[in-house]
Amino acid sequence: MFDVFLDAVRAERPDLELSIPWQRTENPDTLRTMLLDSGVPGPAVTDEVTPMDLPNPQAWWSIVRGTGIRRIEMELDEDTSARVRRANEQWIIDQKLTGLLLGVNYATAVKK
């Protein structure tokens, strides 16, 4: 769904430079390597995927507004934001989407 959001933003604002800093740590192996390369000894990285109900298409916008994605949405003017929202909601309807999978990585290490 995040890709659908980004595609809609890019369609409306191709000039907007999208900074998505968390993408560099989405992959557990990449996160582990980054931690090792920065001197963290023996990091343990666990990835977790949690299903989340999407009770209606409008619920997606609550997720947009309540997460780091909001940063991108705030770069849009009101009319553009409304068009992106409508495009996302229409995609959810067309795909009959009723849930999302949310991924998170946890990293732990022991300080010596």
Side-chain angles (χ1 to χ4, degrees), residues 78-97:
E78 191 174 319
D79 290 339
T80 303
S81 177
R83 287 191 301 273
V84 168
R85 179 178 181 166
R86 282 192 302 274
N88 278 228
E89 290 172 354
Q90 189 60 54
W91 190 90
I92 291 167
I93 292 166
D94 293 347
Q95 300 302 312
K96 298 177 176 55
L97 191 66

Side-chain angles (χ1 to χ4, degrees), residues 42-87:
V45 177
T46 304
D47 63 321
E48 185 177 293
V49 177
T50 304
M52 178 180 176
D53 289 337
L54 195 63
N56 56 60
Q58 296 76 27
W60 166 245
W61 211 247
S62 294
I63 294 169
V64 168
R65 301 303 304 267
T67 63
I69 303 170
R70 179 185 179 114
R71 215 174 107 257
I72 297 168
E73 190 268 336
M74 289 176 66
E75 295 287 327
L76 308 175
D77 64 45
E78 191 174 319
D79 290 339
T80 303
S81 177
R83 287 191 301 273
V84 168
R85 179 178 181 166
R86 282 192 302 274

